Amino acid sequence: MEKAWFEMRAETRRRLSDAAWIPLKLRAEKKQGNYGQIGYVAEFEGTHSVAIRLDQRHSGDDINWSSIGTVGVWASRDSYKPVDIPWGDDQQDIGVELVLEQAFDGAETSIWHLNQDLVFALSLFREDDVWVRPTEGYDEVVRLERDAEGRATGIKMRAEYLRDYLAARSMALRIVTYRSRDQVVEDGSAIGWSEVPATENRDGGRFEGRAWAIHEGGHPFGAKTGVFHMSRTDVDIEAEVPRMDQPTDEGVESRQWTFERDGRKLWQIEGEFWRDEWIEPAVSSPRTRRDRIPSSTTFIVDGYGKRQSADDLNSDDIGLWLWFNPAVVPALLTRRGGALKWHTRDTGSVWIAPGMPVHFGINEHGLINVYAHDVARLEEWERRLWAGYNVAPDGGVSLELTAAQVKTTPANTLAPEAFLARALDALDEAFKARFGRSLVTEHGERNTILKQTHRFRATDRPSLLALAKDIARLTADSFDVAALKKQLSVPEGERLGSLKGVQRLLEPLIGKEKAHELMGPLVGIYDLRLGDAHLPSSAIEKAVKLVKIDTTGPFIDQGRDILHIAVSVLFTIAEVFNEAPNLQ
C-alpha cells in the first residue's frame, strides 16, 4: 500500500455535519490475511454518538473515543441509571443514547436497538432493517447495516429527521469517530514513520502514523519474553479426595526463564485518525414538536394565474377550489400508501398519508378539482407533489363535487371502477350456479390489475389502449376456456376463443342476435388491447364502435365509459345466466 492509503485524507476531509445520513453508531471492520503475516491488511471505522442537552454541552465537550463507555444499567441502593441515560462526572444525566447495544454472555453477536423515544417521536415503523415514516410517504429515516455474516455494523439516520428530533429535545449530538488502517509488509522503513511517528492535526481531528519492525507472527522485533512458573508440591493429587489448603512457602515451587522471539523480520504500518464533532439541532422541529414553518408551495387560484401560498389557503373558510391535471392521481397512487376510493361517478378521495384523504371531483374538461383547504392542510412534501400538477382554472368546478360540498346533496351516481370486481364475482357465481364450475380463473396479479384499472390511466390514446388491455386481462384472458368447451361439447383439439364461447352459451338463452350485441363491447375491448402494436387505425375505429364510447370527449371520460360498459356487460351476462330458464 502507498503512504496515502494509511493517511486516509480523502475520507477524513468528509465532515459528518455535512452528510445526508449520520452514523449514530458504526463498527465496520475489514480484514484480509492472518495477523503478523505478509498480506495482512485491516481497516476499521467506528463512531459513537450521544445526544447531549444544550445546558450540559460542557460535559459533551469532554466526550471522546477513549471516554466512551459501555451502555448499560447501573443500579445501587442509592441510585439507578437507565440504560439509555449517560451520566456526567456528578452522576447526573446529561443526555440520551440513541442506539443501545445489547450483548449476551457467550454470544458472538449483539443486538442493536434504536431508542424507542426516537421511534415514537418521529412516528417510525420498522420493516426488517429499515425504519420508515408512513405519514411522510414511507420515507426511509433510519437504516441498520449488517456485514456478510449478519452482524450489525452501523445505524445511520437521515440528517433532517435527526436534527428535527434534536431541536424538539433541545439537544445536540456529540459524535466521536475513530479510523485505522494497518498492514504487514516485507519492508516498511521507506514510509518514514519508523523513527518518529507522524502526527498531524487536520480536518478537525488528529492523525497519527507509525511503522515498526515485528517478527513474523506479530511480536515486536527483538523482544524478549520473561516466563515465571509456579506450582504446588503439597497436594496429594492421587488421594481419593484431594484437598488443597492455603499455600505455604514450603509447598510452592517456582522457576523463571527468558527467551527471545524468532522468525523473519517484517514491518507493520498503521495510520489512525480521531475526531470529535457536534451535529447541531435544527432551527425548528415541524415533525416532532409540530413547529409551524412558512410554506414555500404556491397554487394557481384564478384564471389570471394569481398564486397563493399553501399557508394562505390553509383555512376551512377559504372558499376556493383548485384545478389539477388528472395525472396527479396516478402520481399519488404510485407512491407507497397511495389509495383511491370512489364516492359517486365523478367524485372520490385519494391519499398517500393515512388519515389525510383529499376529496376530489372531475369537471367537464376532465380536470381534477379539490377544495383548496383540503390540499393546503397536507404536509409540505405532499403539497409540493400536488403543486406539480396544478393548472389554471378551466371548465368550472366539478358539478358532483359542488353538489356534495356546497349543496350538501351528493349526486346519486356510481363510479364503474367501484364495481368491476363485483361484476366479475357476480358473473363467476352465476356461471357456477348454472354450470357447476367457475368461469373466471384466479391468478396472482388480479388484485394488482384491479387496483390500476381506473379512468386516470387514460390520459391519451396509447394509455387508453393500455387501460383496455388490463380490462381484457380481467375478462377475456381470465375466462376458463376448458369450462366453456365442456358446456358446449367442443372437441378437445378444436380452438375456441373465450369471448366466442360465452356468446355461444348465451345464444340459446337470449337469441343469436342479442348475444352478439351483448358481447360486442367486450370483443371491442379485446381488440383495442392490440391497437398499439398490431391493429391499423381503421381496425381501432371499428373496435371503438363495438365498445360504443364517445371519442370526442376528454380521454379520462373515455376511460370511464369503457369501464362503465365493461361492468354493465358483465352484470348483464350474470343476470342472463341467473334468470334464463334452463334448457332441456
Side-chain angles (χ1 to χ4, degrees), residues 13 70 126 155 167 215-216 223-224 250 296 340 345 385 406 546 564 570 573 576:
R13 70 168 60 105
T70 303
R126 182 172 183 174
I155 285 188
H215 287 287
E216 188 172 26
K224 292 183 178 181
E250 295 77 14
S296 61
L340 172 65
R345 189 191 72 166
L385 197 157
V406 179
L546 282 174
H564 172 75
L570 293 173
I573 297 172
V576 171

Side-chain angles (χ1 to χ4, degrees), residues 244-255:
M244 186 164 63
D245 297 322
Q246 292 296 318
T248 62
D249 292 344
E250 295 77 14
V252 174
E253 181 180 76
S254 65
R255 58 194 181 98

Side-chain angles (χ1 to χ4, degrees), residues 126-145:
R126 182 172 183 174
E127 295 179 323
D128 297 324
D129 287 340
V130 175
W131 285 261
V132 298
R133 180 172 159 87
T135 55
E136 203 155 346
Y138 289 87
D139 201 12
E140 290 189 6
V141 179
V142 180
R143 298 170 179 167
L144 173 63
E145 298 176 345

Side-chain angles (χ1 to χ4, degrees), residues 359-387:
H359 191 190
F360 69 85
I362 304 170
N363 76 359
E364 62 181 26
H365 287 183
L367 297 178
I368 298 292
N369 290 127
V370 175
Y371 190 63
H373 170 63
D374 289 347
V375 169
R377 68 189 174 93
L378 300 173
E379 297 287 348
E380 183 72 2
W381 67 272
E382 197 169 353
R383 292 170 177 167
R384 289 195 293 265
L385 197 157
W386 277 90

Side-chain angles (χ1 to χ4, degrees), residues 402-454:
T402 55
Q405 295 181 331
V406 179
K407 297 179 180 180
T408 66
T409 306
N412 188 24
T413 58
L414 300 172
E417 291 92 337
F419 291 88
L420 181 56
R422 299 186 200 181
L424 288 167
D425 291 340
L427 173 58
D428 194 52
E429 291 171 7
F431 190 90
K432 187 184 299 183
R434 191 174 190 91
F435 301 111
R437 61 184 294 178
S438 292
L439 171 65
V440 183
T441 57
E442 289 287 342
H443 54 80
E445 296 184 3
R446 171 175 165 150
N447 290 336
T448 300
I449 298 172
L450 281 169
K451 186 177 180 181
Q452 68 185 22
T453 305
H454 51 74

